[in-house]
Amino acid sequence: MRLTETCVFEIFGRFHFAYRYRNFRTFTSPRPAQFSCLAVDPSGDVVCAGSQDSFELFVWSVQTGRLLEILSGHEAPISGVAFGNAGENQLLVSSSWDQTVRVWDIFKSKSQQESVRVHSEALAVAFRPDGNEIAVCDLNCRIQFFDPVSTQQIGIIEAKADLGRFRREDDLVSGKTASKGRAFTTLCYSADGMAILVGGKSKYICVYHTKEHVLLRRFAVSKNWSFTGMTEFLSKRTNTEMGQRGLMDLDEDDSDRQKLSLPGVRSGDMASRHFKPEVTVYSVQFSPTGQSWAACSTEGLMIYSTHTEDLFDPFDLDPSITPASTRALISGPSRDPGRALIMALRLNENKLVAEVMESIPVHDIALISENLPDKYVTLLLNFSALQLENSRHFEFYLNWIKTTLFAHGQKLKSRSTTIMPVLHSLQKALIRKKEDILRITQRNVSNLEYAQSVFKLTLEAGNSASDGKDSDSVDGEMEEDEED
């Protein structure tokens, strides 16, 4: 059962079926409260929402919809909540404009909490997937990292320079001055926890390394110059004899009349015929496999992916490893399928790896999987997960996955955090294939039931017709006897 949740800036939260587009459950608070953030625990049994006006956290049960707890302690609007597993403890972390981040242990001791000062208004918070780190964005455009158990600061990233400059058409100051007060407002860890994705009131989305605290990549979400905030510098082309072109209302008869916007209005005067929306990133999220991520912005929903079909990315390559030498080991006189598989994985060409794996007999899969070196196990599992979705040899690759996991299960368990994206890819492929097979099976069962019903109706119609003919022949014989 897949669900989606919504509650931002509403007085109640809603759960929806992702497939049926129906409201599954509605969560309400005992008194009116405007919710600003939402989080669901990893098990899907508990949902928590932060309030913007009462400064409280509300915890509900997903199954019953009953309010379990009201957590108070913040002194300003709550900007973010997140669940995480820190060892054996399942914790809840919340960020607020009161310059604090609070860690709650709501499952063991409901009154236990730890407060962490971030020395600026906290705008977003996120748990690392393994639960050993918390990341917080503040108004000073800093990303701070804390240990959830000891609440000690681990590191900090000064991201002000990476935010970029923001300038409206009607600003009389430079982009550097106009960018003050802007910061990143959303963040998300990658599946392995080695990278963090941040976005906010800027046209850029940044990816940072969580250990080295350096910028890895910066993406521009839009090139649409009709948005406000795309220009970084003051352009002389917008200067006229009567002032800035952005301050002039050219739609009216008096072209020298200036616009007078109300204080606090960000999206423009609603009485005007048009206004330019500001370029903003509302939310970012990594996929469970770690191979793609999505961003919701003014431009729309954008999905970025690292998966490309024609990418040549060899692994531990040397000059003696070529496609020709690899094929010689599976079809030549000196046949060695185990070595050929290792060479194909080092070349990292999908077609060659599929050709080598499909040439190996089924009874040799267990032996080759046991003798496969540990550094190639992740590559084999990742490729097998990809083939489950695209290949028709479903049972064959499923046999490869099963034998590999049985042979290297203990070693993979010791580094479970690093192979989490691969396991998520396997789970995703299996769920999709299960749904496809179930759909085909249900359709076949319906078709067989229909064919059986049609066959029974045809037999009944034939039997009734033969009975009618027999009765007519009997009546005819009786009439002939009577005439005689």
Side-chain angles (χ1 to χ4, degrees):
M1 181 174 61
R2 298 186 179 180
L3 305 175
T4 59
E5 66 274 358
T6 58
C7 79
V8 179
F9 300 120
E10 294 185 1
I11 60 175
F12 48 82
R14 293 178 178 177
F15 263 65
H16 298 270
F17 278 106
Y19 292 149
R20 300 180 182 178
Y21 302 100
R22 293 180 181 178
N23 187 8
F24 166 64
R25 198 170 305 284
T26 302
F27 304 98
T28 59
S29 58
R31 51 186 175 273
Q34 189 176 18
F35 300 142
S36 58
C37 51
L38 177 73
V40 183
D41 74 318
S43 63
D45 297 331
V46 177
V47 59
C48 178
S51 174
Q52 193 176 15
D53 45 8
S54 63
F55 316 149
E56 295 174 329
L57 292 168
F58 299 89
V59 183
W60 296 275
S61 171
V62 176
Q63 296 295 331
T64 62
R66 186 171 62 90
L67 181 64
L68 302 178
E69 187 69 17
I70 299 178
L71 306 176
S72 60
H74 285 291
E75 300 175 356
I78 299 174
S79 57
V81 291
F83 283 95
N85 295 321
E88 298 180 355
N89 300 326
Q90 190 169 1
L91 303 177
L92 171 68
V93 61
S94 60
S95 61
S96 174
W97 293 0
D98 59 1
Q99 302 184 5
T100 62
V101 173
R102 296 181 182 269
V103 182
W104 312 80
D105 190 356
I106 61 174
F107 293 97
K108 288 188 177 180
S109 178
K110 298 182 180 180
S111 60
Q112 183 179 356
Q113 59 170 303
E114 294 288 342
S115 179
V116 182
R117 299 288 300 182
V118 295
H119 305 289
S120 183
E121 288 80 357
L123 303 179
V125 65
F127 250 109
R128 202 167 67 180
D130 59 1
N132 296 326
E133 189 177 84
I134 298 174
V136 183
C137 284
D138 60 20
L139 193 59
N140 290 334
C141 208
R142 296 178 302 179
I143 306 173
Q144 304 183 44
F145 301 94
F146 297 93
D147 189 309
V149 179
S150 63
T151 65
Q152 297 295 323
Q153 187 176 14
I154 302 175
I156 186 172
I157 298 176
E158 296 287 347
K160 188 67 175 179
D162 304 326
L163 187 66
R165 298 181 178 181
F166 183 94
R167 187 181 180 279
R168 301 183 183 90
E169 287 187 353
D170 54 353
D171 284 341
L172 300 178
V173 294
S174 62
K176 182 178 180 180
T177 305
S179 299
K180 292 181 178 180
R182 295 187 171 272
F184 292 117
T185 58
T186 177
L187 74 165
C188 176
Y189 276 99
S190 61
D192 56 0
M194 299 301 296
I196 190 169
L197 191 69
V198 294
K201 297 181 179 180
S202 172
K203 65 178 181 179
Y204 295 111
I205 297 176
C206 300
V207 183
Y208 294 95
H209 197 280
T210 56
K211 298 298 183 182
E212 303 296 335
H213 298 164
V214 295
L215 178 67
L216 298 178
R217 187 81 181 270
R218 189 170 73 163
F219 300 89
V221 299
S222 176
K223 295 183 179 180
N224 190 351
W225 290 91
S226 62
F227 291 154
T228 300
M230 295 297 295
T231 57
E232 298 183 1
F233 303 97
L234 181 63
S235 178
K236 294 182 179 180
R237 291 179 297 180
T238 60
N239 291 333
T240 62
E241 297 179 355
M242 295 171 287
Q244 286 287 327
R245 187 176 300 173
L247 296 173
M248 298 169 55
D249 190 359
L250 301 178
D251 295 335
E252 302 292 339
D253 296 335
D254 300 329
S255 59
D256 58 344
R257 190 163 59 117
Q258 294 184 347
K259 296 179 182 179
L260 299 176
S261 60
L262 296 176
V265 177
R266 296 185 303 172
S267 57
D269 186 5
M270 294 303 170
S272 60
R273 293 297 180 183
H274 65 276
F275 65 92
K276 293 185 176 181
E278 294 183 2
V279 56
T280 307
V281 178
Y282 302 106
S283 179
V284 292
Q285 189 68 40
F286 260 104
S287 67
T289 61
Q291 297 180 356
S292 60
W293 55 271
C296 181
S297 66
T298 312
E299 187 74 29
L301 179 62
M302 298 171 294
I303 299 176
Y304 296 80
S305 177
T306 59
H307 176 68
T308 54
E309 293 291 342
D310 300 326
L311 179 63
F312 178 66
D313 186 15
F315 176 77
D316 197 12
L317 195 62
D318 59 57
S320 62
I321 300 177
T322 61
S325 61
T326 304
R327 291 188 176 94
L329 291 176
I330 60 175
S331 59
S334 57
R335 191 172 183 275
D336 190 353
R339 185 183 171 192
L341 178 61
I342 294 176
M343 293 174 64
L345 291 174
R346 292 173 69 176
L347 285 170
N348 203 10
E349 289 187 0
N350 292 341
K351 293 182 179 179
L352 183 61
V353 177
E355 181 181 351
V356 172
M357 291 182 66
E358 293 175 4
S359 66
I360 298 175
V362 178
H363 55 80
D364 292 339
I365 292 178
L367 179 61
I368 295 176
S369 299
E370 292 177 359
N371 297 325
L372 188 68
D374 295 338
K375 60 182 179 180
Y376 302 111
V377 173
T378 305
L379 295 175
L380 179 63
L381 292 176
N382 198 7
F383 176 78
S384 300
L386 180 64
Q387 290 298 106
L388 285 180
E389 298 183 4
N390 302 325
S391 176
R392 59 185 178 181
H393 306 293
F394 176 72
E395 186 179 0
F396 179 77
Y397 285 102
L398 204 60
N399 195 2
W400 271 102
I401 296 172
K402 179 182 176 181
T403 54
T404 304
L405 291 177
F406 271 109
H408 302 272
Q410 293 295 332
K411 296 180 181 179
L412 293 176
K413 188 177 180 180
S414 62
R415 51 190 181 96
S416 58
T417 56
T418 59
I419 65 167
M420 240 357 183
V422 179
L423 298 180
H424 283 306
S425 299
L426 289 173
Q427 184 183 18
K428 173 184 173 184
L430 290 174
I431 291 176
R432 284 189 176 180
K433 189 62 68 173
K434 175 186 175 182
E435 293 175 351
D436 293 341
I437 294 176
L438 183 62
R439 192 182 304 111
I440 294 174
T441 304
Q442 291 176 350
R443 189 183 301 115
N444 291 340
V445 169
S446 300
N447 292 335
L448 289 174
E449 291 178 352
Y450 174 75
Q452 186 178 7
S453 301
V454 172
F455 180 71
K456 288 181 179 180
L457 293 175
T458 305
L459 288 179
E460 292 176 358
N463 293 333
S464 61
S466 61
D467 293 341
K469 292 181 179 179
D470 294 339
S471 61
D472 293 341
S473 61
V474 171
D475 294 339
E477 292 177 358
M478 292 178 62
E479 290 178 357
E480 291 177 0
D481 295 337
E482 292 176 356
E483 289 178 359
D484 296 338

